[in-house]
Amino acid sequence: METDDLGRRVADDVAGGGGLAGVRRLSGVIAALEERRTGLVEELRRGREATWEEIGRACGMTRQGATRRWAGRLRARSFGVAAASYQHGRPGYPQALIGAAVPREARKVLDLGAGTGKLTGLLVEAGLDVVAVEPDAGMRAQLVAAVPKAAVRAGSAERIPLPDGSVDAVVVAQAWHWFDPAAAVPEAARVLAPGGTLALVWNVRDESEPWAAELGALMHRSTNQRIDTWPAVPAPFGAPERLEIRWEHSTTRAGIVDLVASRSYVIALPDAERARLLADVEELLATHPDLAGRDAIAMPYLTRCTRVRLG
Ligand SMILES: C[S@@+](CC[C@H](N)C(=O)[O-])C[C@H]1O[C@@H](n2cnc3c(N)ncnc32)[C@H](O)[C@@H]1O
């Protein structure tokens, strides 16, 4: 059977009697098919089995169209291969963040894009009932081991695997910039109970110390990614409340090397370039006069939180 005929038959079966129910069923299947196509593209690119040109042709697109559509998405899904470095090297969050990110009356909280559970653990320790949603299997494996008390689900911000109105608060740490906001905003609003809140959180390295500025310069040489850490959130959410917390993450030289190794743009580098960057970081840490002879290092951070409430 021709692919087009197969598509038409499947579409007719799914649409059934038509109407709004048909549109809903078709939308669910289209989203699932798109998710599967992205998975296949990801496998092909990981194994270097197909070029963007070939993938574009298979999808009826140009090479540029295919790259525009998936390259960013694949970067967003790249963290799993460095999940152990992520867990070892990335900072957590200051305790004071919980009061800013989650309203006092909240009980059930969704940690969306939960990664290895850096924020999930704090939420559980605060006595909240936490469900953590994370698309990457490698990150989820670390999360389940690190925070056994959280309910962990596979899923994404664009398709949250939770019923309507089922949580009091959604928190997104260090991940909102990877989401498609056109789908993630209505999904977050859908799973929130009336009056629920959405908090977007980022850790920003405070580069006021010279060694931290030099580390930042080394890291920036491999990326031009700029993240808006004070984002606007559209309707149905209301005006933002914003908070910044200054704190220090206690780490080691090996921890800082893992911090760098777990950045998505470092994961994506060709092997030789990644090895050179990590060697340069090790040399900076070993030779900078402010760090010489020290293994315990206090890494300065600013944690930024933007919280909005369903209107
Ligand atoms: C930088 S990590 C942050 C993890 C964790 N929240 C933290 O604070 O350490 C970004 C996470 O977002 C996840 N992610 C990427 N795209 C996503 C999407 N569309 N929906 C949900 N999570 C996504 C990645 O798999 C990764 O675990």
Side-chain angles (χ1 to χ4, degrees), residues 76 79 86 93 113-115 118 134-135 139 156-158 173-175 178-179:
F79 290 96
Y86 193 105
Y93 298 92
K118 296 263 169 198
E134 165 58 43
M139 298 297 261
S156 72
E158 294 77 13
Q174 214 76 11
W178 295 115
F179 302 170

Side-chain angles (χ1 to χ4, degrees), residues 121-250:
L122 266 191
L123 294 166
V124 167
E125 279 166 26
L128 294 159
D129 179 3
V130 185
V131 53
V133 168
E134 165 58 43
D136 186 282
M139 298 297 261
R140 276 200 312 276
Q142 295 275 342
L143 169 54
V144 167
V147 195
K149 284 193 181 151
V152 177
R153 300 273 184 82
S156 72
E158 294 77 13
R159 290 187 76 206
I160 302 174
L162 296 182
D164 298 0
S166 56
V167 297
D168 306 312
V170 176
V171 293
V172 179
Q174 214 76 11
W176 184 254
H177 53 284
W178 295 115
F179 302 170
D180 170 6
V185 168
E187 269 296 83
R190 179 184 68 75
V191 300
L192 278 169
T197 60
L198 167 67
L200 310 181
V201 176
W202 280 273
N203 272 330
V204 180
R205 279 189 321 283
D206 175 355
E207 297 189 346
S208 50
E209 289 195 34
W211 71 267
E214 283 185 46
L215 176 68
L218 274 180
M219 292 168 77
H220 287 142
R221 95 183 172 200
S222 304
T223 179
N224 52 16
Q225 185 186 37
R226 294 283 173 269
I227 299 168
D228 180 3
T229 51
W230 291 128
V233 185
F237 291 98
E241 293 172 69
R242 303 197 195 269
L243 179 87
E244 183 172 85
I245 304 167
R246 189 178 293 273
W247 65 290
E248 285 183 344
H249 167 54
S250 304

